[in-house]
Amino acid sequence: MLYPQSNLYRQTIELADFWDFCFDPNDVGIQNGWQKGFTDARPIAVPASWNDQFEDGRDFLGPAWYQTSFDLPWSWDEKRIVLRFGSVNYLAEVWLNGQSLGSHEGGHLPFEFDATSWVKQSGNLLVVRVDGRLAFDHVPPGNVTGDAADFFASHAGNFPQAQFDFFPYCGIQRPVMLYATSQNYLRDIAVDTQFQDLLGKIHVRVERVGEASGIARFHLLGYGHHSTREIPLSNESVEVDIDVPSVMLWSPKNPNLYDLSVELVRNGNVIDAYTLKVGVRTIEIVGDQLLLNDEPIYLNGFGRHEDFPVVGRGYLPALIVKDYALMQWIGANSFRTSHYPYSEQMLDLADQLGILVIDETPAVGLYFREDGLEKRGALCQQYVREMIARDKNHPSVIMWSVANEPHSTPPHTRPFFEELYHEAKTLDSTRPVTLVSFLGAGEEAFAFYDLICLNRYLGWYVGPGKLDEALSTLSVELDSLHEKFNKPILLAEFGADAIPGHHAQPPEMFSEEYQTELIVRYIELLRQKSYVVGEHIWNMCDFKTSQGVTRAGALNYKGVFTRDRRPKLAAHRVRELWQKNT
Ligand code: GCB
């Protein structure tokens, strides 16, 4: 899936504005895509979650209605016009001028509709119904009852009753865009890259729609290199291998990016074009090592969230810049998009700045009660497909994570995760695929995933306050996990809550000192294990979650930065360790 782009042959507008909005607590229903009670509509900012924008809607999860009107820019006649949503959480239904365009399930991933037949030059009315209510058959799940609820002891009874530990923000959370292309257009571009000595190779596959006459032209530009290739069109897809002599590889130290422009040309005229940033790099697991460009790489960084006061999980460009500035300040080289894919812009900047990303689907807190299992399975597959379709061209993305902490003890979870693994590998054989688990040796899926990602809270939830015990248990467990599965291990989560400004000597739980000591001692231990390929602290920043007795102020305080991005004591100590290693 190509992100909308403006150039001589494509044009994009963003419908970012104050839209009309209303809650629909009684699920009144629709008439031609119009909610009856819309007369009491109020303004809402798009994109942003709705929960923190009003005084009466924080815990209201839907349904709710959005509407806006728009005119087209001039010169869009004869064009194919597409309406694209970057992320709507959780269920979206869309009408344009009274015509249903379709629906989409699942937040954090884009979807689009061909609106050409329904859009007018002026006076268009766009209506979106959003339903973020939690349900047992959603992914991620919520409001789970019965036996399955017992699995979620730490979240049971929290309000809202999500089966995951972050606030279930709802709404239109990323940009809504309209874009125009010609009727013959580039549908997709996929690149994968290799190199041998100084010779880089970029394999490009282009999918296009429209008449089969003409050529596809490829320009590669950067670092003194400029080459052009032309391939005659015959099928719906075209492939080419581009050689890059004296290649400048992409890496965290040197995030070199080439410009690849693809043009569709007929009778000497360009009819569509798209430019993609391409980083030439390889990533693979060999033995106990993670190799980037054939060199071992150790991941130090964080699990994170897209989360900020007022906007919730809404797209906030300044926050993206700030978070990368903090990652660079502290010396992090990587993060995981826990627990859902982050914005496309976040990945664009990771490409530019040389940050390594483990890209994770929204499949968090999965449980395996029989009813609804098939639907949840299909959704997990859909998320893997949508995530890879969206993010496959980012050099910063070094790995796919298909799920976080599934409750995968029953036997039928094995085929479930085998299928997800194969889905990801079939779509992209160039990246390792992982699953993040808290089960340890009991996680059968570790047998066939490429890397072991383990979450551990010893000294916190388990053995609170007992750090010596925590460290020795962790050490034994890591060794036996490695012995059992014979794969490299990333400690994907570890940490402790620290209330900013709360101090204790000797250190005790919830103090900045205890958080610091736990993190530092974990890191020192991990560095002694040759098969450990990384440490991701949970979490980079404090973040909002449901209300419950373990979450003071409805916040998870495991950030080494506060929610407003101020360093805690741990941040300074981690910086000393990480700067030494970079
Ligand atoms: C976990 C989860 C994460 C939570 C964290 C915690 O294992 O993966 O979503 O926020 O623990 O702080 O409890």
Side-chain angles (χ1 to χ4, degrees), residues 165 339 404-405 455 457 461 493 538 543 551 556 558:
D165 180 25
H339 297 308
N404 179 72
E405 298 198 348
N455 294 347
Y457 289 96
Y461 297 121
E493 285 183 24
W538 189 259
F543 61 91
R551 295 291 180 260
N556 184 313
K558 294 193 188 67

Side-chain angles (χ1 to χ4, degrees), residues 409-470:
T409 19
H412 49 283
T413 62
R414 191 183 169 107
F416 187 97
F417 286 110
E418 250 166 351
E419 274 173 38
L420 276 187
Y421 178 81
H422 290 302
E423 183 77 31
K425 278 289 180 193
T426 312
L427 293 167
D428 177 14
S429 60
T430 71
R431 290 176 175 90
V433 178
T434 191
L435 162 138
V436 182
S437 173
F438 64 85
L439 286 179
E443 184 63 78
E444 288 188 33
F446 279 159
F448 47 89
Y449 277 75
D450 298 322
L451 174 87
I452 291 180
C453 280
L454 182 74
N455 294 347
R456 275 293 167 263
Y457 289 96
L458 299 155
W460 189 255
Y461 297 121
V462 179
K466 299 183 194 157
L467 273 184
D468 291 338
E469 211 174 289

Side-chain angles (χ1 to χ4, degrees), residues 35 49 110 174 176 179 241 270 279 302 316 324 341 369 392 394 401 406 413 425 451 459 478 484 493 497 510 541:
Q35 198 268 336
S49 307
R174 292 190 195 138
V176 182
Y179 67 92
D241 284 302
V270 177
F302 299 102
L316 191 58
Y324 279 124
R369 200 169 88 185
K392 60 185 179 294
H394 289 283
S401 161
T413 62
K425 278 289 180 193
L451 174 87
L478 289 172
K484 175 166 182 187
E493 285 183 24
D497 291 71
F510 290 99
C541 303

